[in-house]
Amino acid sequence: MNDGSTSGELADSLRALLSRLSPGDRLPSSRELIKEYRVGPATVARAIAALAAEGAVVTRPGSGTYVAQRTRLGGEAAAGDMSWQTVALTDRAVDTHLIADPLGPPPAGTITMDGGYVHRSLQPTRALSAALARAARRPDAWDRAPAGGLMALRTVFARIVGGSVAPEDVLVSAGGQSALSIAFRAIAGPGSPVLVESPTYPRALAAARAAGLRPVPVPLDADGLRPDMLADAFAMTGARLLYCQPTYQNPTGTVLTSERRRQILDVARASGAFVVEDDFARHLGHGGAVPRPLVADDLDGTVVHVTSLTKPAAPSLRIGALVARGPVMERMRAVRLVDDFFVTRPLQEAALEVLSSPSWDRHVRALGAALRERCAVLAAAVAQELPGATLAGLPTGGLHLWVRLPPGVDDTVLTGVARQHGVAVSAGSRYFATEPPAAHLRIGFAATADHAELAEGARRLGAALADVGPRQERGAL
């Protein structure tokens, strides 16, 4: 082949070569092709590009060109060789083992008691749909929203938080998980320790680790986070960040007492540390008085407050807020700009419509009454169906029961057996940053259709518990 040969002719020659090679074989290098076929570099590049476009070859920068997997009959492509990604991706920065379900989606007919959202029958679906429709009809519905969020929505969030919080102290986020990610990355640098309750919310652990932080657990008791242990943890680790859920803690349902609320803030201030207050359950009380958020009584900028509408409303109302004062707010605004500029305006407008309507307060009251009833039904069913299991107390808010299992029962084994019995619950080990002190289950009472399904779920769980003992004994043998 002479220098005047076209890239098309070279491509035909290479197709003949490909027919004699196997998938994954490496083609001669560009230098070898230039020498063998007596063509220029541009001709080789065009021919390889044409073959790559056909799917006949794959190119790997820095490695070479390889024969692609053969196409099956009917045009369906065979699986490619993705092994090169192992080297390219290097170390894993995002660990999802605590938040990904190792058992996969539950089969049809499974009673779901492992979720963190309320059942569709408890959602204000009609109000949400109407609010979104009205928001979409506004002339500016699809305009760019301010990076900090709509001022009217920030005003509503400030009023909900209370105290001296102003709209300027509020940053609208795409739900609570996004807010946690922003806060962790804005406050602490990679490699820094972050103190967390033990047990705590697995997705907060995942967000902290994704930000390069090292979670350090601090024990809870019936009154919430222990201030004495917290002071020791700050002193030992040099941490400058605490993540906690003072109200209806997930998974235990614990409420931090008023005395400890003051103590926690005093300890954090003395340590020169921030407190990220996850107030996800403010609208999930069961009818009693809900304590003021920590940030409402914080004048020194110690607290970074996280709230969200997702839990009390619906999973896809991904609207939340960060509340903070001082330079930390500017840092979080900068992270937001890098991440996604702003939260979609129609969803902000819809959230504003919902929160500004009298129907929202009615919904929160009705939801609280429904959750209180469901909580009592499930607690009674657990006491009856799970002999030897221990419920420390009846939570006054939130969506879950925290149940300690009988000695010798493996929570991960039990959750797998429970799936076989048609009920999905959460293994307690997922909620600990380090080794758990005992085996627990988190059992939800909000995601089921009704009380009868709650009772049936507990019955199935009891059958699984009865079955898991003999299985563990056989495994030990």
Side-chain angles (χ1 to χ4, degrees), residues 73-113:
L73 292 177
E76 182 184 357
D81 179 10
M82 306 296 178
S83 58
W84 66 273
Q85 293 188 4
T86 303
V87 176
L89 290 172
T90 65
D91 187 31
R92 186 177 187 182
V94 180
D95 185 358
T96 61
H97 81 279
L98 288 178
I99 58 177
D101 188 348
L103 302 176
T110 300
I111 296 177
T112 303
M113 304 174 77

Side-chain angles (χ1 to χ4, degrees), residues 195-330:
L195 306 186
V196 299
E197 297 160 321
S198 184
T200 191
Y201 177 44
R203 292 184 182 273
L205 293 176
R209 287 174 173 144
L213 309 185
R214 296 183 292 107
V216 177
V218 181
L220 295 169
D221 61 20
D223 292 329
L225 190 64
R226 293 182 52 179
D228 56 336
M229 293 286 192
L230 179 65
D232 290 344
F234 273 125
M236 292 171 58
T237 65
R240 292 294 180 264
L241 176 60
L242 164 68
Y243 166 77
C244 63
Q245 305 165 86
T247 303
Y248 314 133
Q249 198 260 359
N250 179 11
T252 65
T254 302
V255 176
L256 191 64
T257 63
S258 58
E259 180 181 4
R260 286 197 180 181
R261 286 170 182 257
R262 292 190 298 272
Q263 292 173 342
I264 294 298
L265 289 184
D266 288 344
V267 170
R269 289 187 187 114
S271 303
F274 287 97
V275 175
V276 173
E277 175 190 24
D278 189 348
D279 201 29
F280 77 99
R282 174 142 303 272
H283 301 294
L284 299 176
H286 295 177
V290 182
R292 282 163 62 89
L294 297 180
V295 73
D297 299 312
D298 169 47
L299 301 178
D300 303 320
T302 299
V303 180
V304 174
H305 179 87
V306 175
T307 187
S308 172
L309 301 179
T310 305
K311 299 294 186 183
S316 284
L317 187 63
R318 307 299 302 174
I319 292 291
L322 284 152
V323 179
R325 298 182 176 94
V328 68
M329 174 55 84
E330 295 307 314

Side-chain angles (χ1 to χ4, degrees), residues 3 13 64 72 88 134 137 153 272 286 299 304 312 323 352 365-366 374 389 424 451 460 476:
D3 290 338
S13 298
R72 299 191 185 105
R134 288 193 296 270
R137 289 196 295 267
L153 182 57
H286 295 177
L299 301 178
V304 174
V323 179
L352 178 61
R365 289 194 297 271
R374 286 166 170 258
H451 293 182
R460 295 182 186 184

